[in-house]
Amino acid sequence: MAEGDGVAGRGIRVRLDGSASNNDVAALKAWLEREKPLDDRVRDGQLQILERPRAGGPPGHMGAGMEILLVVIGAGAEAVFRELLDQTRRAVDAWLENRRRVESGDSPEARVDPVNPDQG
């Protein structure tokens, strides 16, 4: 994302590992898009939720080749970013719990980390 395009340069990366498939990534993205606090921020133009090819995976990594990036739009205070990070973690935990109830087999492992989108 280029400088000056309205992006603050702060983001949250969500990765699924273990038994995760690209279908799991797509399902989690759809779940995040429907979560009220996140949806409100998307509608207000404060947040974008993107699916992108996974970068920087370990050698020989098996599983999902995609990841989800939540990008904070505009300048945001640290407290607002931390709140968004907490909301994202809660939403991912809720998705994992729901997936365990409705699907058999091993559940993927999830990581939710702050990231600078320009760093990938």
Side-chain angles (χ1 to χ4, degrees), residues 70-108:
L70 290 83
V71 181
V72 179
I73 307 297
E78 184 66 20
V80 172
F81 182 79
R82 289 285 162 207
E83 179 182 329
L84 179 59
L85 184 60
D86 289 342
Q87 289 168 343
T88 302
R89 286 181 173 142
R90 285 191 301 270
V92 169
D93 288 344
W95 178 81
L96 284 169
E97 181 60 33
N98 183 67
R99 188 186 182 285
R100 284 184 198 105
R101 283 190 304 233
V102 299
E103 293 191 30
S104 60
D106 293 332
S107 293

Side-chain angles (χ1 to χ4, degrees), residues 14-60:
V14 180
R15 286 188 173 174
L16 296 177
D17 293 319
S19 63
S21 69
N22 285 337
N23 289 338
D24 287 321
V25 174
L28 176 55
K29 180 180 180 275
W31 181 280
L32 293 173
E33 290 171 337
R34 291 188 302 265
E35 282 292 299
K36 177 121 177 79
L38 301 178
D39 178 53
D40 289 346
R41 291 183 189 277
V42 169
R43 289 176 189 265
D44 290 343
Q46 300 172 347
L47 181 68
Q48 290 180 339
I49 302 176
L50 311 169
E51 188 174 336
R52 68 178 191 175
R54 185 177 179 135

